[in-house]
Amino acid sequence: MKPQAILFDLDNTLLDRTRTFRAFVDRLVETYLGHLAPAEEICAMIVERDRDGYKDKDELFAELVEELPWQRRPEAAELMAFYLEQYVREAVLMPEARETLALARSLGCKLALITNGKTAVQYGKLDRLGIRDAFDATLVSEEAGVRKPDPAIFEMALRRLDVTAQDCLFVGDHPVNDIAAAAELGMRTIWLKVNQPWPEELRVAPDLTIHRLGELLDWLDTPETGGSE
């Protein structure tokens, strides 16, 4: 049955966060550590420390200030300012993200985005990607005052869309923050398997597991979900 609304996560769901952050790291190292060549080990270390975006950035940059072989050691605040300016500029979509949003809209589905992060950064990514206007509701945790997996942020989206959880499909990459949280409210869920492993202790399971958004395109575009005959 076709969902009335499809809710998406942003990072590593619609945005290729892995490529985006790696491009930012390359820019950071080029700017501040250009005296080191090659710098692949340092780039890989920064990516690892970032923990796929789940490490607090203030903490990350404070560690980097202390541990990296700077020619001119910056303050952590300087690195944060560099991040806020440059990271957004590297934003790239997941393959087939734009097509997925377009198909969902053509099927008459309402669309929403629920993402954890800083307001300026997340909206900056959406503007860079050109998809800010694709959604009927957008909730960024800093702006909303609550973070996934707290059900309150999902409930905010439901109210804005004027739909029930049972009429919604949630698509995301994080087993706990996205899939379990949405499923416990009664939403159907699709897990986009990217970098996050599935914890064995979770009591819920996704309705569908995909490895690329093109599989979601195929799933939406079937008679069973209200797509093409």
Side-chain angles (χ1 to χ4, degrees), residues 151-184:
I153 196 168
F154 294 87
E155 290 164 352
M156 289 179 191
L158 295 177
R159 288 194 296 272
R160 293 190 190 181
L161 296 175
D162 192 26
V163 294
T164 67
Q166 289 71 26
D167 292 324
C168 292
L169 175 70
F170 194 93
V171 184
D173 76 299
H174 197 282
V176 176
N177 292 352
D178 294 326
I179 304 307
E184 286 172 5

Side-chain angles (χ1 to χ4, degrees), residues 78-186:
E78 180 181 343
L79 295 184
M80 177 60 80
F82 184 85
Y83 168 77
L84 293 174
E85 178 182 358
Q86 295 294 331
Y87 176 50
V88 165
R89 295 182 180 181
E90 305 295 345
V92 291
L93 281 170
M94 280 287 202
E96 301 170 292
R98 204 177 303 279
E99 295 86 347
T100 299
L101 293 173
L103 177 59
R105 179 66 75 188
S106 74
L107 295 174
C109 299
K110 296 179 180 179
L111 301 179
L113 184 80
I114 306 178
T115 177
N116 288 346
K118 296 183 180 296
T119 303
V121 171
Q122 300 303 78
Y123 278 115
K125 292 174 186 174
L126 294 177
D127 289 337
R128 180 71 174 179
L129 297 171
I131 60 171
R132 184 167 179 170
D133 294 334
F135 305 99
D136 300 294
T138 298
L139 290 102
V140 180
S141 63
E142 183 181 56
E143 182 179 56
V146 63
R147 296 174 57 86
K148 295 182 295 184
D150 193 313
I153 196 168
F154 294 87
E155 290 164 352
M156 289 179 191
L158 295 177
R159 288 194 296 272
R160 293 190 190 181
L161 296 175
D162 192 26
V163 294
T164 67
Q166 289 71 26
D167 292 324
C168 292
L169 175 70
F170 194 93
V171 184
D173 76 299
H174 197 282
V176 176
N177 292 352
D178 294 326
I179 304 307
E184 286 172 5
L185 283 175

Side-chain angles (χ1 to χ4, degrees), residues 22 25-26 39-50:
R22 176 54 199 252
V25 170
D26 289 343
E40 177 57 34
E41 287 188 11
I42 287 179
C43 291
M45 181 271 278
I46 296 173
V47 169
E48 181 179 1
R49 290 287 185 90
D50 176 63

